[in-house]
Amino acid sequence: MKLPARLYGDLIGKPFEDGGRGPGTFDCLGLAIEMQRRQGRAVGNYASTIEEFHREYSAGLFGPCAQLCRPAAGCVVLLRTGIHERHVGTMLDAYTMLHTMSGMAGGAAIERLLAPEWTRRVLGYYLPVEDAL
């Protein structure tokens, strides 16, 4: 399964801004929150660190969540980008993610999660419990 382009096509190329929650700029967390909202999941304006996001998400920030064994369309992928740094993206299918980060030329983009630079950084995939069943 793949998320339809109508859910994310207008987000590609949106510039990165630390703390950006849209509609003109996003950081990785803001983009993930927007993608959850577009999938019909009620998400508040969460303006915290990725570390806190990881704790809150796994504890149910978007409702009760389940950690998946493998990626699925619409789930959030949590990635390690440094020793203590975290990054999030939204899986468009089992192989590609939509994300944005500081220093990314061209803004929000689709990348293959299977690329070596990302595969070894995956910390987990998350979906609301009702979607994971």
Side-chain angles (χ1 to χ4, degrees), residues 80-96:
R80 177 183 40 79
T81 56
I83 294 172
H84 300 290
E85 297 175 26
R86 302 291 186 260
H87 178 61
V88 293
T90 300
M91 297 303 299
L92 301 178
D93 56 30
Y95 309 102
T96 57

Side-chain angles (χ1 to χ4, degrees), residues 18 53 87 106 114 118 123 125:
D18 194 29
F53 171 76
H87 178 61
L114 298 179
W118 292 116
L123 296 173
Y125 306 99

Side-chain angles (χ1 to χ4, degrees), residues 36 41-44 55-66 126-130:
Q36 293 301 304
R41 299 180 187 121
V43 181
R55 286 191 297 272
E56 291 294 324
Y57 194 94
S58 56
L61 171 66
F62 298 135
C65 292
Y126 297 91
L127 260 184
V129 171
E130 64 273 7

